[in-house]
Amino acid sequence: EDKARTEAFRDAILRTCKDKVVLEVGCGTGILSAFAVQAGAHRVIAVEADPVMASCAREVMQSNGFANVACVLEGRIEELAEVVDAELRSQRVDVLVSEWMGFMLVCEDMFQSVAFARDRWLAEDGIVIPTECKVFLSPFSHPSLIEKMTGYWGSKPYGVDLSVLALPALDQHLAQPVIDILPSDKQVLARPCCVFCLDCRTAPMDAAQQHDADFHCDLERTGELHGLAVWFTCDLLPGLSFSTGPEATTTHWEQTLLFIDPVTEASGMEVQPGDKVSGKIRWLVNGYDMGVVMIGEVQSATHGQAMSFGRRLTLHVG
């Protein structure tokens, strides 16, 4: 699963972990720690908060004969600080690896745990994988998804016209970010705009929790405007990265689709090259809860008129 993501992490680990002390935060099944052992790591410490997954990771290490190099610790990294200290035996961590990213990169609020581990144990010349992450957005068009969500209400089920319920049903469904893929990168209406850049080696613990950014997009394609698509990229090492964007191989993160309020005139309006979409996006993350606010306007190059839009959305994962 997620072959592009997994292979990119594997390549980064194989390049960096030989004879190194490695710490993984949020190890899940333990696959990345297993890669570190395969790379020839001197010592691997894998930390996992979920008891079931920690047990699975421990079994993976034992069944593959890796338990003499890798140990799995169960609990949150912040609560296991003294245990990790004991395991390290006054050594520093050479490589800190974590697949901490959530939807829209920052959802799940896990970067703070990575930063905690980095600040406490990483050697001065140590490596953090990934090294840098960026969030991009672009206006998008997705008429087939709108039709999928509203088609039933216009089909006169059982001979009853329910079309008046189509818009309320659509509004309810789109009140939270939609995790889905854009079937074609041609549904991206403009060149992506970078709205967030996270240097994983230097960013403070709370850097991903709250953010405000302006965006300005010059449209390059014709289509119905439905909202803003958001995705992220991860640079694992110089020259080694992966993307969760619509142009890339699909990952479990897909894209996060922020739909414009469907009751506004901007929703579904026909746009064309030369039009501009600009505004501000803001997010606040608290654990598995994430609030997103977007406000903006569409400036028509043909008619010279501006159409405003806005939306407040909430995503809960878990």
Side-chain angles (χ1 to χ4, degrees):
E1 194 173 339
D2 279 355
K3 183 177 180 180
R5 178 274 313 264
T6 303
E7 291 189 350
F9 267 98
R10 182 173 183 268
D11 288 348
I13 290 167
L14 292 178
R15 293 184 193 181
T16 57
C17 291
K18 183 174 175 56
D19 299 325
K20 303 298 185 183
V21 176
V22 180
L23 173 62
E24 183 183 4
V25 177
C27 71
T29 62
I31 184 66
L32 301 187
S33 288
F35 291 159
V37 178
Q38 290 177 332
H42 171 70
R43 180 72 170 144
V44 179
I45 300 171
V47 180
E48 173 55 47
D50 182 84
V52 174
M53 295 309 299
S55 177
C56 291
R58 198 171 288 115
E59 290 180 8
V60 167
M61 298 306 154
Q62 292 173 348
S63 63
N64 283 275
F66 296 158
N68 61 325
V69 176
C71 71
V72 178
L73 304 179
E74 178 188 322
R76 297 184 68 248
I77 189 73
E78 295 88 343
E79 298 167 354
L80 294 174
E82 293 183 1
V83 179
V84 175
D85 286 341
E87 288 288 341
L88 286 171
R89 307 183 192 97
S90 300
Q91 291 180 300
R92 306 296 286 177
V93 169
D94 301 304
V95 181
L96 173 62
V97 61
S98 179
E99 196 269 83
W100 57 267
M101 302 77 72
F103 297 123
M104 228 171 99
L105 180 68
V106 298
C107 190
E108 298 182 34
D109 197 17
M110 192 176 158
F111 177 72
Q112 62 177 330
S113 296
V114 176
F116 173 86
R118 176 200 67 196
D119 294 346
R120 187 174 179 106
W121 295 295
L122 189 67
E124 186 174 345
D125 59 348
I127 296 169
V128 181
I129 302 174
T131 60
E132 185 178 77
C133 302
K134 295 179 180 178
V135 177
F136 294 86
L137 65 74
S138 176
F140 75 91
S141 178
H142 204 335
S144 62
L145 185 59
I146 297 294
E147 173 60 28
K148 180 180 178 181
M149 294 177 181
T150 60
Y152 171 80
W153 304 102
S155 66
K156 290 190 175 181
Y158 311 107
V160 180
D161 183 0
L162 299 177
S163 59
V164 295
L165 301 179
L167 191 57
L170 182 63
D171 184 46
Q172 183 179 32
H173 189 82
L174 302 183
Q176 63 178 357
V178 175
I179 309 303
D180 201 353
I181 60 170
L182 294 173
S184 168
D185 59 6
K186 292 182 172 56
Q187 292 175 265
V188 177
L189 301 176
R191 190 182 304 275
C193 173
C194 182
V195 293
F196 183 59
C197 182
L198 184 74
D199 184 336
C200 299
R201 183 166 169 79
T202 61
M205 289 177 61
D206 61 353
Q209 290 180 321
Q210 185 172 349
H211 185 66
D212 291 58
D214 296 322
F215 61 87
H216 305 276
C217 300
D218 296 321
L219 301 193
E220 299 177 343
R221 292 190 176 95
T222 299
E224 297 177 6
L225 176 65
H226 291 126
L228 303 175
V230 185
W231 62 90
F232 63 90
T233 63
C234 288
D235 293 335
L236 304 185
L237 293 174
L240 181 58
S241 63
F242 69 88
S243 171
T244 65
E247 83 292 348
T249 302
T250 301
T251 69
H252 78 276
W253 291 291
E254 301 181 307
Q255 287 90 56
T256 302
L257 306 181
L258 310 177
F259 279 84
I260 294 171
D261 190 336
V263 302
T264 63
E265 293 183 10
S267 178
M269 70 177 291
E270 190 75 18
V271 293
Q272 57 188 2
D275 292 351
K276 300 179 184 298
V277 177
S278 59
K280 181 181 289 289
I281 186 170
R282 177 183 305 122
W283 67 67
L284 177 63
V285 183
N286 182 18
Y288 289 95
D289 294 310
M290 179 177 184
V292 182
V293 176
M294 59 174 179
I295 55 174
E297 68 173 20
V298 186
Q299 184 72 44
S300 171
T302 305
H303 306 294
Q305 66 185 44
M307 195 78 69
S308 298
F309 64 85
R311 191 69 158 163
R312 185 185 301 271
L313 306 136
T314 302
L315 178 64
H316 177 75
V317 180

